[in-house]
């Protein structure tokens, strides 16, 4: 893992997403959990362990049936009330952002940085991720796939830029950006 950490560096904000060979973030089970296997889970845990806060959206939390991270706080960007989240997330430890005042993904990140400037790991879907990557916030974002074509297809579909690619076990991990 130290070699992987040296490739990622020590950015304040990271983001990750796993995709299939066609660039889709939804696997056969209707979630991303069936994509990337054990290697992607290990990569996700690495990102989460170095973060003080994991930020996701309400849509992602509901569709992925999220659980509380074991090593980081959880913040959820949502316009919906807490009752719409999975039961295990309706707890005091979960911070809702945007349920009272509408926030963009970038504004949610700035809110987290203002209240607690610890590293943030973003686990958004493709719409919120691409919007975030086009904002002024400096995010190191990584798309992983078991297929060499996965990140390329995702980048093309969402009009992003490839920064670089490396291998992590059986995954191709591609850093992406939304602006040059």
């Amino acid at each position: 893992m130290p070699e992987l950490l040296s490739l990622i560096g020590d950015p304040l904000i990271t983001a990750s997403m796993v995709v299939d060979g066609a660039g889709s973030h939804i696997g056969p089970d209707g979630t991303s959990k069936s994509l990337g296997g054990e290697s992607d889970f290990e990569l996700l845990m690495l990102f989460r362990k170095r973060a003080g806060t994991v930020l996701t959206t309400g849509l992602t939390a509901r569709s992925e049936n999220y659980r509380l991270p074991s090593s980081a706080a959880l913040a959820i960007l949502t316009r919906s009330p807490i009752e719409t989240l999975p039961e295990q997330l309706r707890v005091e430890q979960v911070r809702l952002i945007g349920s009272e005042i509408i926030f963009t993904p970038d504004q949610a990140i700035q809110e987290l940085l203002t209240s607690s400037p610890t590293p943030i790991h973003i686990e958004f879907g493709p719409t919120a991720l691409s919007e975030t990557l086009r904002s002024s916030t400096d995010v190191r974002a990584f798309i992983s796939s078991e297929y060499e074509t996965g990140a390329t297809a995702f980048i093309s579909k969402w009009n992003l830029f490839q920064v670089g690619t490396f291998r992590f076990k059986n995954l191709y991990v591609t850093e992406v950006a939304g602006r040059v």
Side-chain angles (χ1 to χ4, degrees):
M1 281 305 189
E3 67 281 351
L4 181 60
L5 287 174
S6 69
L7 290 170
I8 293 169
D10 196 26
L12 184 58
I13 306 167
T14 56
S16 66
M17 178 181 292
V18 62
V19 297
D20 65 13
S24 175
H25 67 289
I26 300 171
D29 67 346
T31 75
S32 67
K33 292 176 184 175
S34 57
L35 304 173
E38 190 63 37
S39 296
D40 183 68
F41 182 73
E42 192 175 335
L43 182 63
L44 178 65
M45 292 302 103
L46 174 78
F47 282 122
R48 283 184 169 193
K49 282 180 185 172
R50 62 168 300 285
T53 302
V54 171
L55 174 62
T56 192
T57 63
L59 178 61
T60 300
R62 286 187 295 278
S63 63
E64 297 282 330
N65 198 23
Y66 257 54
R67 301 196 190 299
L68 285 173
S70 59
S71 60
L74 179 63
I76 300 175
L77 174 61
T78 183
R79 294 184 186 140
S80 302
I82 197 164
E83 294 77 30
T84 65
L85 295 174
E87 187 79 32
Q88 64 270 18
L89 298 182
R90 298 181 201 170
V91 293
E92 193 175 298
Q93 300 94 314
V94 173
R95 178 175 177 187
L96 293 186
I97 299 175
S99 61
E100 295 174 15
I101 300 171
I102 295 175
F103 279 86
T104 65
D106 187 51
Q107 290 169 325
I109 294 165
Q110 298 311 316
E111 173 73 16
L112 288 172
L113 289 173
T114 300
S115 62
S116 177
T118 61
I120 298 169
H121 182 65
I122 299 168
E123 298 174 8
F124 287 163
T127 303
L129 177 62
S130 60
E131 181 181 333
T132 301
L133 293 176
R134 289 185 181 87
S135 74
S136 60
T137 301
D138 187 21
V139 178
R140 300 263 329 258
F142 300 90
I143 307 300
S144 61
S145 180
E146 292 178 309
Y147 305 93
E148 197 169 6
T149 58
T152 306
F154 182 83
I155 288 166
S156 177
K157 180 177 180 177
W158 292 96
N159 198 25
L160 299 172
F161 301 97
Q162 180 174 330
V163 176
T165 299
F166 60 89
R167 292 282 295 193
F168 175 68
K169 300 190 176 187
N170 68 324
L171 296 174
Y172 294 91
V173 182
T174 302
E175 185 173 356
V176 297
R179 52 190 163 74
V180 180

